[in-house]
Amino acid sequence: MATIYEVASMAGVSPATVSRVFNGQNVSADKARRVRKAAKALSFTPSRVARTLRMRSSQVIALVIPDIENPFFTSMARGVEDVAQAAGYSVVLCNSDEDHGKEARYLDIAVGADMAGVILAAAGDNSDVSGLIARNRPVVAVDRSPHGFDIDAVTVDNRAGGREATRALLDQGFTRIGCVTGPGDVETATERADGWRDAVRAAGAVDERYLRFADFRVDGGHKAMRELLDMPEPPDAVFVANNLMGVGALQVLSQRGAMPPAVGMAVFGDLPFAVMAPMAITVIPLPARHLGVTAAKLLLDRINGDDQPPRTVVLRNHAS
Amino acid sequence: MATIYEVASMAGVSPATVSRVFNGQNVSADKARRVRKAAKALSFTPSRVARTLRMRSSQVIALVIPDIENPFFTSMARGVEDVAQAAGYSVVLCNSDEDHGKEARYLDIAVGADMAGVILAAAGDNSDVSGLIARNRPVVAVDRSPHGFDIDAVTVDNRAGGREATRALLDQGFTRIGCVTGPGDVETATERADGWRDAVRAAGAVDERYLRFADFRVDGGHKAMRELLDMPEPPDAVFVANNLMGVGALQVLSQRGAMPPAVGMAVFGDLPFAVMAPMAITVIPLPARHLGVTAAKLLLDRINGDDQPPRTVVLRNHAS
DNA sequence: ACCATTCCAGAAATCGATTTCACCGTCAAC
DNA sequence: GTTGACGGTGAAATCGATTTCTGGAATGGT
């Protein structure tokens, strides 16, 4: 509540001097001491708001993710946080809940709050970052990237991963491979499904009835898996395009007493908090933390004035 | 980037009028129309920073949690978020990482950024919220509460839960019940261990060698569980005081081929993303989302000027 | 002893919104 | 016809920091 002015008058100096003390500029030792003492006495905390208004930029970066309850994204958040902290930035986490409206609102806030930059795991292909770009605020897309904008991006090779996962199932001798992927307007979902198509086609014909779009959550996995199993000729194996749907699918299989390898299963992304090493399940690991770290580094570069044309970094998901 | 002044001059009115248009005050229809048109043309986004500086409060609340990778806390965050959103507030999530230094930094930021209030799941008993109190900012403690401050709090009955969990193991016929709890300076950890002591004492003598303090994470569960199993006379069952350590303990048991019910197990808090209904495991469910909802409501009350003496809400964890 | 740097420090402008105050019309009441 | 109330509007103060500009003091080189 105390302001720089009160500190100044208590220390018998000008506000400018108080500011200089706190920003490590040259101030005589005597005055600096008096200022610090006064600041302590008044338990002075500088107003970041005033500072931000004047400086036109805050030491905060926004990380907008579509599902805070997904360990993949929280792990990514940790990566972002560690890099940002080390560089003196704070991270605020915004949960868009896969909702374009909420996402837009958070992006507006990021602009209005003069945040230094934004790392965005977009809710869908048509997320709109034009406001950020118009105002020249650095943005980095991570995991998924909005279409139609030429911005920095960090992704993994979704198609290759989907192909590899599906091929693993074929190699295990399964013949009717289903696919449970995410929403049709999310890049990672369609790309992973494309990988599935690639692999299946290479082994024969693609049966699109075995493809299900769900919502990238546990419940989506339930629903899609049930649908597949209830088909007249159900698949004998399934490729699931993300971790949470993988959990959902496994829960359904468990209920029906058909755990892998009775039904084949490959998952894109590590299964969260798995208790038993799921030997019968093929997992394409996803470098979640590393995605965050890389995105944060890219963003910090931009914040510090890096002006190259936008880069896209594709991380290897070292298959296992 | 456009300011209220540019909008004003484009619309041929004063900045005050522009402000009034956006804040729903009385302005003639004609001018209002011109202002809106100009604002659109300039793609004007009001500066929250300037607004906050002037109003001395922002529409943002901080939620400080000790571990963003723990689904219990993210679920709590969802509860907070839903309530806050509905009331027009945004939530920024701050991960203190069980570190008092980081936590203190985030609390400072909350003050300096003039946030409307803070919901704090403290990193330990001796977290310091005096800065917030001195500046009259609403704080609500959730899950854990810092000692020595008389503030609103929302908790569960940890001791009763620990007692109940342990009793369940005794009822199942186990006789040497171990306990894996969290750090000694975290209230929820010590209280749950107290519950364990209560139950064990009621059935005989408490052997403190069966009590382990770990770090509330998966690795802590590993370490503590291994130590217990490696004792000359290992426990035949174990009460684990949180969800992640429960996962860790189960992983160790799985490795050693002693899954429940070979070794008895009770866990405080729901196991995240469990694939199979763990019938052999006693789970004390934790109303994570509800904790968040309740805390957010309390905080909003305070923000809106509620001035009663601090309340402590203890939620029932409807045992199962 | 003199001039040129360099260093300190204060006054005042600035960031962009909100809000008080004062003023002007208009309209209703008496 | 005067008074009072009220709605609409703009000028200017305000929030609390940073920063430019300026002047004075101190330092150093010759």
Side-chain angles (χ1 to χ4, degrees):
Chain A
M1 199 60 191
T3 75
I4 207 175
Y5 296 95
E6 305 171 40
V7 174
S9 77
M10 183 172 198
V13 301
S14 76
T17 300
V18 177
S19 171
R20 287 191 262 255
V21 168
F22 283 99
N23 292 298
Q25 304 195 37
N26 280 335
V27 171
S28 72
D30 171 48
K31 292 202 167 145
R33 210 172 26 70
R34 283 184 359 234
V35 166
R36 276 184 222 290
K37 196 172 137 210
K40 190 135 299 172
L42 296 168
S43 68
F44 165 71
T45 304
S47 160
R48 286 169 188 266
V49 178
R51 171 177 230 272
T52 300
L53 177 59
R54 180 57 222 251
M55 313 253 278
R56 323 186 49 88
S57 168
S58 68
Q59 297 279 96
V60 173
I61 72 185
L63 171 58
V64 183
I65 59 178
D67 183 6
I68 198 185
E69 298 190 77
N70 186 335
F72 167 67
F73 290 113
T74 58
S75 177
M76 202 173 83
R78 283 303 307 265
V80 170
E81 215 179 8
D82 292 347
V83 172
Q85 291 274 343
Y89 286 81
S90 305
V91 176
V92 310
L93 213 70
C94 310
N95 182 30
S96 70
D97 202 17
E98 304 268 13
D99 174 330
H100 283 86
K102 282 193 197 176
E103 182 179 279
R105 216 179 124 208
Y106 276 120
L107 294 182
D108 258 10
I109 290 181
V111 170
D114 280 320
M115 297 196 187
V118 175
I119 297 177
L120 172 66
D125 284 351
N126 49 351
S127 290
D128 182 11
V129 297
S130 60
L132 293 162
I133 292 175
R135 288 169 186 79
N136 218 32
R137 295 234 184 281
V139 201
V140 175
V142 65
D143 182 48
R144 329 168 168 186
S145 59
H147 280 187
F149 298 96
D150 190 25
I151 57 178
D152 287 326
V154 186
T155 60
V156 297
D157 192 338
N158 290 302
R159 187 161 186 164
R163 197 159 43 215
E164 208 171 323
T166 307
R167 197 144 49 198
L169 292 172
L170 291 165
D171 288 349
Q172 288 163 37
F174 296 104
T175 55
R176 299 188 309 280
I177 318 280
C179 174
V180 177
T181 193
D185 69 337
V186 177
E187 192 183 63
T188 51
T190 53
E191 289 180 356
R192 290 171 195 175
D194 285 342
W196 164 78
R197 268 197 209 87
D198 291 347
V200 173
R201 182 161 34 233
V206 177
D207 187 341
E208 293 283 339
R209 287 172 310 161
Y210 285 159
L211 171 62
R212 299 288 148 152
F213 294 94
D215 69 0
F216 267 154
R217 299 198 231 235
V218 176
D219 262 354
H222 288 163
K223 191 161 155 295
M225 194 69 208
R226 285 207 198 94
E227 285 178 15
L228 287 176
L229 292 178
D230 290 343
M231 289 174 75
E233 189 181 37
D236 61 356
V238 63
F239 161 56
V240 184
N242 94 332
N243 56 352
L244 296 193
M245 296 194 306
V247 169
L250 277 173
Q251 287 172 342
V252 169
L253 289 178
S254 165
Q255 276 168 19
R256 303 210 177 180
M259 285 294 275
V263 169
M265 177 138 174
V267 182
F268 203 115
D270 309 84
L271 289 171
F273 304 111
V275 166
M276 294 163 289
M279 313 235 278
I281 301 175
T282 300
V283 172
I284 305 292
L286 217 39
R289 212 193 101 86
H290 196 205
L291 278 167
V293 167
T294 309
K297 284 184 180 158
L298 250 53
L299 186 71
L300 287 175
D301 284 354
R302 292 296 179 191
I303 290 173
N304 294 325
D306 181 341
D307 217 17
Q308 321 175 28
R311 296 156 288 181
T312 294
V313 178
V314 178
L315 297 182
R316 257 324 268 135
N317 28 347
H318 24 273
S320 73
Chain B
M1 197 64 190
T3 75
I4 206 174
Y5 296 95
E6 304 171 42
V7 174
S9 77
M10 184 172 200
V13 301
S14 75
T17 299
V18 177
S19 170
R20 287 191 262 256
V21 168
F22 283 99
N23 292 298
Q25 305 195 36
N26 279 335
V27 171
S28 72
D30 171 51
K31 293 202 165 145
R33 210 172 25 70
R34 281 180 6 231
V35 166
R36 278 184 221 289
K37 196 173 140 209
K40 191 136 299 173
L42 297 168
S43 69
F44 165 71
T45 304
S47 160
R48 285 167 189 267
V49 178
R51 171 179 232 273
T52 300
L53 177 59
R54 180 57 222 250
M55 311 253 280
R56 322 186 49 85
S57 168
S58 67
Q59 296 279 96
V60 173
I61 72 184
L63 171 59
V64 183
I65 59 178
D67 183 6
I68 198 185
E69 297 190 79
N70 186 335
F72 167 66
F73 289 114
T74 58
S75 175
M76 202 173 83
R78 283 302 308 266
V80 170
E81 217 179 8
D82 291 346
V83 173
Q85 292 273 342
Y89 286 81
S90 304
V91 176
V92 311
L93 213 69
C94 310
N95 181 30
S96 70
D97 201 17
E98 304 268 13
D99 174 330
H100 282 85
K102 283 194 195 174
E103 181 179 279
R105 215 178 126 211
Y106 276 119
L107 294 182
D108 258 11
I109 290 181
V111 171
D114 281 319
M115 297 195 186
V118 175
I119 297 178
L120 172 66
D125 285 350
N126 49 350
S127 289
D128 183 11
V129 297
S130 59
L132 292 162
I133 292 175
R135 289 170 186 77
N136 219 31
R137 292 232 189 282
V139 201
V140 174
V142 65
D143 183 48
R144 328 166 168 187
S145 58
H147 280 185
F149 298 96
D150 190 25
I151 58 178
D152 287 325
V154 185
T155 59
V156 297
D157 192 338
N158 290 300
R159 188 161 185 164
R163 198 159 44 216
E164 208 172 322
T166 308
R167 200 145 47 199
L169 292 172
L170 290 165
D171 288 349
Q172 286 162 37
F174 297 104
T175 55
R176 298 186 310 280
I177 318 280
C179 174
V180 176
T181 192
D185 69 337
V186 176
E187 193 182 63
T188 50
T190 54
E191 289 180 357
R192 289 170 196 175
D194 286 342
W196 165 78
R197 269 197 208 88
D198 291 347
V200 173
R201 182 161 34 231
V206 177
D207 187 341
E208 292 283 338
R209 288 172 308 163
Y210 285 160
L211 172 62
R212 300 287 149 153
F213 294 94
D215 69 0
F216 268 153
R217 299 196 231 236
V218 176
D219 263 352
H222 288 162
K223 193 161 153 292
M225 194 68 208
R226 285 205 199 94
E227 284 178 15
L228 287 177
L229 292 178
D230 289 343
M231 289 174 73
E233 190 182 37
D236 60 356
V238 63
F239 161 57
V240 184
N242 94 331
N243 57 351
L244 296 193
M245 296 194 306
V247 169
L250 277 173
Q251 287 173 341
V252 169
L253 290 178
S254 164
Q255 275 168 20
R256 303 208 178 180
M259 284 294 276
V263 169
M265 179 137 171
V267 182
F268 202 114
D270 310 82
L271 289 172
F273 304 111
V275 167
M276 293 164 291
M279 312 234 279
I281 301 175
T282 300
V283 171
I284 306 291
L286 219 37
R289 212 193 102 86
H290 196 205
L291 279 167
V293 167
T294 309
K297 283 184 181 158
L298 250 53
L299 186 71
L300 287 174
D301 284 353
R302 293 296 180 190
I303 290 173
N304 294 325
D306 181 341
D307 217 18
Q308 322 175 26
R311 295 155 289 182
T312 295
V313 178
V314 178
L315 297 183
R316 257 329 264 136
N317 27 348
H318 26 271
S320 73

